[in-house]
Amino acid sequence: MADNLSGLHRNRIHRALSRPNLLMGADRELVLITGLAATVLIFLVLTIYSALLGVAIWIVVVGILRMMAKADPLVRQVYVRHVSYRPYYRPTTSPWRKY
């Protein structure tokens, strides 16, 4: 049995192809959207309080996103797929069946 497997051709799967796309340890898109929202808050209001609030919000949200990514790096994709499902599917044989 081992002789048959040794003749097989092996292909390497690089780690970069199977790892989730993270930025700063959290989901890339969510970190960028959070940074954009904090930057908009800072530059639209233009006060020292808005700058402090924007930086604080960004740090807290990125920390929460990192905890979420540590639990499941694909949590955003799973949630988007979950929301797309209907709450109830009728027990029919095909979508074109007449009721």
Side-chain angles (χ1 to χ4, degrees):
M1 182 76 178
D3 295 332
N4 293 338
L5 293 178
S6 64
L8 295 176
H9 181 72
R10 294 182 180 211
N11 291 326
R12 292 182 182 250
I13 298 176
H14 296 280
R15 188 184 306 177
L17 296 173
S18 62
R19 287 195 322 201
N21 195 4
L22 302 178
L23 177 67
M24 296 173 45
D27 187 47
R28 182 177 181 268
E29 288 83 10
L30 295 178
V31 169
L32 292 175
I33 289 172
T34 305
L36 179 66
T39 305
V40 166
L41 174 68
I42 291 169
F43 287 111
L44 281 182
V45 180
L46 285 178
T47 64
I48 190 69
Y49 299 116
S50 68
L52 293 175
L53 181 66
V55 170
I57 287 174
W58 188 71
I59 289 172
V60 168
V61 171
V62 168
I64 292 169
L65 290 174
R66 289 184 68 176
M67 288 191 298
M68 287 171 46
K70 187 180 260 189
D72 183 10
L74 301 174
V75 70
R76 182 181 57 88
Q77 289 90 351
V78 170
Y79 180 72
V80 168
R81 183 176 293 166
H82 165 73
V83 170
S84 69
Y85 290 150
R86 290 186 284 178
Y88 177 73
Y89 288 94
R90 295 187 60 140
T92 59
T93 56
S94 73
W96 300 281
R97 178 181 171 180
K98 300 292 181 189
Y99 299 111

